[in-house]
Amino acid sequence: MSAMPSRRAVVLGATGAGIAAVLPAAEAYGASGGGRPARTPPVLLTEQASRRLLVLDPRRRVWDPAADPSVVRWQFSPLGDPRYADLRPDESWVYPCEAKVRLHRGRTYVLTTASFGFVAVVEHPTGRRYWGAALGGGDDLFNPHSAEILPDGNVAVACSTGALVRLYAASQGPRAERYAEATLKGAHGLHWDRARRVLWAIGDDELVTYRVGGTAARPTLTRVSAVGLPVGTPGRTPGGHDLFPVAGRPGRLWVTTNAAVFQYETRGGAFLQDYAGAEAISRKSVKAVGDDPRTGQVVSTAPEKGLEETWWTTRVSVHRPESSYKLVNGGIYKARWWLPR
């Protein structure tokens, strides 16, 4: 979702307090059968209706965790978890809006944010806290929308309503508070470019790079470059949203806007739609997109009409070939292949 009306009333009822659980899984998280290509990875979701992250079985076309808990490979919620109590998750863990899996120093982590202030790097599968923060007072004044972990262990956070990118000295401990900050209107997505050693960020109107300096304990952020996003409707902001590496084509980034889905070629500096499956993948208001380099499949999410929130969906679209997953009673925002990198 983009910035929500500030201080909107929210029903804070939730299920699954303190979840960080692993249920039986197929070998190596692989899958075949059910019409899916062999080695299709599991799917990682931000599931806002139940306020949790889910990793789901890719062999099932319909996921119904209430009726069949075995579809859930892993799940996380900080609600009721004493390791996250200081982040006030009852107030801050509202509308989880980012989940991405990363490898850091031999461990697997899930980076997550929620619109009312929660940000954390969660160890998989234990649910242990690597680092976390609560930005704001249980409202969407900052609206942390994405996060990224850097090689030194520090963590960048994009805040859409707050119009800023912060780089926290998370390497200094799970409650580290020091940060560097840069302004970016509508900051929505982040990606650390290992080859170029820059932090990419996407906002309402532009795609930006930052150079990271200073020390791990006292980091700095310096804006290096910026390029305007393609305009979908003349006179309107492009509305940059998701930013994610193209796994099958190093040097390219997935970029979604209010109007379309592009791949940005970092060397040539061009927004392209020459990728396979673009005719189905590129559409309005795509909240998340990513590819699996082993099977060539692309996963994406876009809002579905008739649900409680206008940005929710119960379906995860799969492209190349076209298919979908359905989460019964779901309120999905983003979906990503489970591909630790």
Side-chain angles (χ1 to χ4, degrees), residues 108-197:
T108 301
Y109 295 99
V110 176
L111 281 67
T112 188
T113 65
S115 293
F116 275 33
F118 187 95
V119 184
V121 179
V122 179
E123 186 181 68
H124 176 275
T126 64
R128 186 170 60 191
R129 170 175 167 177
Y130 169 81
W131 174 82
L135 283 63
D139 209 328
D140 66 331
L141 298 176
F142 286 91
N143 198 352
H145 215 81
S146 187
E148 182 66 289
I149 190 166
L150 276 59
D152 64 1
N154 287 345
V155 175
V157 183
C159 299
S160 60
T161 308
L164 55 85
V165 174
R166 282 184 176 175
L167 178 58
Y168 281 87
S171 59
Q172 305 306 296
R175 292 171 175 78
E177 296 181 352
R178 186 184 297 277
Y179 60 83
E181 184 176 286
T183 60
L184 179 62
K185 178 187 173 186
H188 261 74
L190 295 168
H191 169 64
W192 173 255
D193 189 327
R194 296 175 184 172
R196 293 172 175 260
R197 298 192 62 79

Side-chain angles (χ1 to χ4, degrees), residues 49 61 88 101 105 168 200 205 227 275 278-279 291 322:
R61 291 185 180 274
R88 307 184 310 279
V101 58
R105 297 180 181 174
Y168 281 87
W200 292 89
D205 303 299
V227 59
Y275 55 89
E279 63 282 355
D291 61 304
E322 293 295 310

Side-chain angles (χ1 to χ4, degrees), residues 285-302:
S285 302
V286 169
K287 303 303 183 184
V289 62
D291 61 304
D292 172 22
R294 296 172 298 184
T295 66
Q297 296 175 101
V298 175
V299 70
S300 69
T301 54

Side-chain angles (χ1 to χ4, degrees), residues 29-32 36-42 58 292 294-295 297 339:
Y29 272 5
S32 61
R36 304 294 175 195
R39 301 183 68 197
T40 296
D292 172 22
R294 296 172 298 184
T295 66
Q297 296 175 101
L339 294 171

Side-chain angles (χ1 to χ4, degrees), residues 9-302:
V10 176
V11 177
L12 297 181
T15 61
I19 297 169
V22 184
L23 296 177
E27 182 180 353
Y29 272 5
S32 61
R36 304 294 175 195
R39 301 183 68 197
T40 296
V43 183
L44 171 63
L45 302 180
T46 56
E47 210 299 281
Q48 296 188 350
S50 59
R51 296 172 70 187
R52 56 183 173 166
L53 307 183
L54 295 172
V55 177
L56 295 168
D57 189 340
R59 299 169 299 180
R60 312 289 187 87
R61 291 185 180 274
V62 177
W63 300 310
D64 189 348
D68 183 5
S70 71
V71 302
V72 180
R73 298 285 184 83
W74 181 79
Q75 55 185 316
F76 170 78
S77 169
L79 295 170
D81 189 329
R83 297 171 294 187
Y84 299 90
D86 61 305
L87 305 185
R88 307 184 310 279
D90 285 348
E91 300 174 358
S92 63
W93 181 250
V94 178
Y95 300 132
C97 54
E98 178 65 288
K100 59 173 71 168
V101 58
R102 292 289 185 261
L103 296 175
H104 177 67
R105 297 180 181 174
R107 297 181 182 272
T108 301
Y109 295 99
V110 176
L111 281 67
T112 188
T113 65
S115 293
F116 275 33
F118 187 95
V119 184
V121 179
V122 179
E123 186 181 68
H124 176 275
T126 64
R128 186 170 60 191
R129 170 175 167 177
Y130 169 81
W131 174 82
L135 283 63
D139 209 328
D140 66 331
L141 298 176
F142 286 91
N143 198 352
H145 215 81
S146 187
E148 182 66 289
I149 190 166
L150 276 59
D152 64 1
N154 287 345
V155 175
V157 183
C159 299
S160 60
T161 308
L164 55 85
V165 174
R166 282 184 176 175
L167 178 58
Y168 281 87
S171 59
Q172 305 306 296
R175 292 171 175 78
E177 296 181 352
R178 186 184 297 277
Y179 60 83
E181 184 176 286
T183 60
L184 179 62
K185 178 187 173 186
H188 261 74
L190 295 168
H191 169 64
W192 173 255
D193 189 327
R194 296 175 184 172
R196 293 172 175 260
R197 298 192 62 79
V198 295
L199 179 68
W200 292 89
I202 192 170
D204 281 345
D205 303 299
E206 54 190 351
L207 181 62
V208 179
T209 62
Y210 297 99
R211 181 174 64 250
V212 175
T215 65
R218 294 177 177 270
T220 62
L221 270 180
T222 304
R223 182 167 164 142
V224 176
S225 68
V227 59
L229 297 174
V231 175
T233 303
R236 294 189 180 181
T237 181
H241 202 281
D242 200 28
L243 178 66
F244 210 69
V246 180
R249 300 187 72 172
R252 287 197 178 199
L253 302 173
W254 289 106
V255 169
T256 75
T257 69
N258 287 340
V261 177
F262 302 91
Q263 288 186 357
Y264 182 74
E265 210 287 310
T266 59
R267 179 173 295 181
F271 292 93
L272 306 172
Q273 291 186 305
D274 62 350
Y275 55 89
E279 63 282 355
I281 297 166
S282 183
R283 57 206 194 278
K284 294 181 179 179
S285 302
V286 169
K287 303 303 183 184
V289 62
D291 61 304
D292 172 22
R294 296 172 298 184
T295 66
Q297 296 175 101
V298 175
V299 70
S300 69
T301 54

